[in-house]
Amino acid sequence: MQHDDVIWSIINKSFCQYKSQTKSQKFCRNEYNLTGLCNRNSCPLANSQYATVREEEGVCYLYMKTVERAAFPARLWEKVKLSRNFEKAMQQINENLVFWQGFIKQKCKQRLVKITQYLIRMRKLKLKRQKKLVPLQRKIERRERRREEKALVAARLDNHIEKELLERLKKGTYGDIYNFSQKAFEQALENEEVEDLDEDEVEKETEENAEEEIDKEVEEELEADFDDEDEERVFVEDFDESDDDMEDYDNENLDLESSTDESSDEEANTSKSSKSKSPKAKKKTLRPKLEIEYETESEPKQKVVS
């Protein structure tokens, strides 16, 4: 005989493997528990007549336990598949739990509602686009990067070797030692000629563009200078010789007399040029005044012994 009160007194006061106690409440971890709480009404071990609703792979089932099958643990729970239609599933619960307690009926229906709701949410999430997290394999990436670098180096070597061989074949270093297809050799030569022609054309185009740009810049500068000369007008006063300038001029003449014939000729030319410039400077000029200084090397003065 199964005594529910005796079982509950032992479970409640002593040990139960499904019981987990917190500061505020006791919980039950048994998979057949209706509410998840550890109390007298919802304990599946201390109730000989018990029912619950469970979900397996998206399908809801009604599990029922009666006292008549307590002696046969293999057939203790009766399993009834519930319909996917919510109203039909509710009717099935009502039909199978006709003479059962109202508490068990109500909790089974609440559990069915909760399970159907989270199944609907799961289906919606499955239909939506989801981000797929892909792990980054660092070692494989490093290995592939190294292989790519090695392949690039090998390709450069192959191209260099091919060019060297073509140059040697052009020069005729090998002569008639090797029997190679003449078509392939001619095709390679044509490809090289085409590449050389393309490079020459590109260089010519760049040079022409550079020359055109330089010509344009020069024209723009000339136009700018011409505009500046036309627009900018400066008025300057007459040039008057001061007394200091005349004294310097007399001293220079004295030095010139004591110098040699060659230096006198050169200085005479310079003095003529300075004299010819002085009357020109007196004229009114439209441009700013420019002063030009000429430096001449004169021989040192020699003492005349009487």
Side-chain angles (χ1 to χ4, degrees), residues 4 14 29 74 93 95 112 121 221 254 257 268 294 299:
D4 296 341
S14 63
R29 290 175 293 181
I93 289 169
E95 288 172 2
L112 178 67
R121 286 200 298 274
E221 288 176 0
L254 290 171
E257 287 175 359
Y294 293 95
E299 292 181 0

Side-chain angles (χ1 to χ4, degrees), residues 178-263:
Y178 299 106
N179 294 322
F180 56 88
S181 60
Q182 193 68 23
K183 290 182 180 178
F185 179 61
E186 289 174 358
Q187 189 175 359
L189 289 174
E190 287 176 0
N191 292 330
E192 278 198 350
E193 288 175 359
V194 169
E195 288 177 359
D196 294 336
L197 289 170
D198 293 336
E199 289 177 358
D200 294 336
E201 288 177 358
V202 171
E203 288 178 359
K204 286 179 182 177
E205 287 178 358
T206 53
E207 288 175 359
E208 289 175 359
N209 293 329
E211 288 176 358
E212 289 178 358
E213 289 177 358
I214 291 164
D215 294 336
K216 287 180 182 178
E217 290 177 359
V218 170
E219 289 177 359
E220 288 176 359
E221 288 176 0
L222 291 170
E223 289 177 359
D225 294 336
F226 184 72
D227 294 338
D228 294 337
E229 288 177 0
D230 292 342
E231 292 174 1
E232 294 180 2
R233 293 185 180 180
V234 181
F235 298 95
V236 184
E237 294 179 356
D238 289 334
F239 177 74
D240 295 329
E241 291 183 353
S242 61
D243 298 333
D244 296 331
D245 295 334
M246 294 300 291
E247 290 176 0
D248 293 336
Y249 186 71
D250 294 334
N251 292 327
E252 285 179 0
N253 289 330
L254 290 171
D255 294 335
L256 289 168
E257 287 175 359
S258 63
S259 64
T260 60
D261 295 334
E262 293 176 359
S263 62

Side-chain angles (χ1 to χ4, degrees), residues 233-240 281-291:
R233 293 185 180 180
V234 181
F235 298 95
V236 184
E237 294 179 356
D238 289 334
F239 177 74
D240 295 329
K282 291 179 181 180
K283 294 180 181 179
K284 289 185 179 180
T285 56
L286 297 174
R287 291 187 181 181
K289 181 174 69 175
L290 294 174
E291 293 181 0

Side-chain angles (χ1 to χ4, degrees), residues 79-117:
K79 183 179 178 182
V80 178
K81 185 179 179 181
L82 299 174
S83 177
R84 288 185 180 275
N85 191 352
F86 183 72
E87 293 179 357
K88 288 182 181 179
M90 285 289 186
Q91 287 178 3
Q92 285 176 340
I93 289 169
N94 289 327
E95 288 172 2
N96 288 300
L97 305 176
V98 178
F99 301 108
W100 290 55
Q101 295 178 9
F103 174 78
I104 292 173
K105 269 189 187 181
Q106 185 185 357
K107 293 296 177 184
C108 284
K109 288 177 182 178
Q110 285 179 0
R111 194 172 174 83
L112 178 67
V113 171
K114 194 178 286 184
I115 289 166
T116 50
Q117 284 176 352

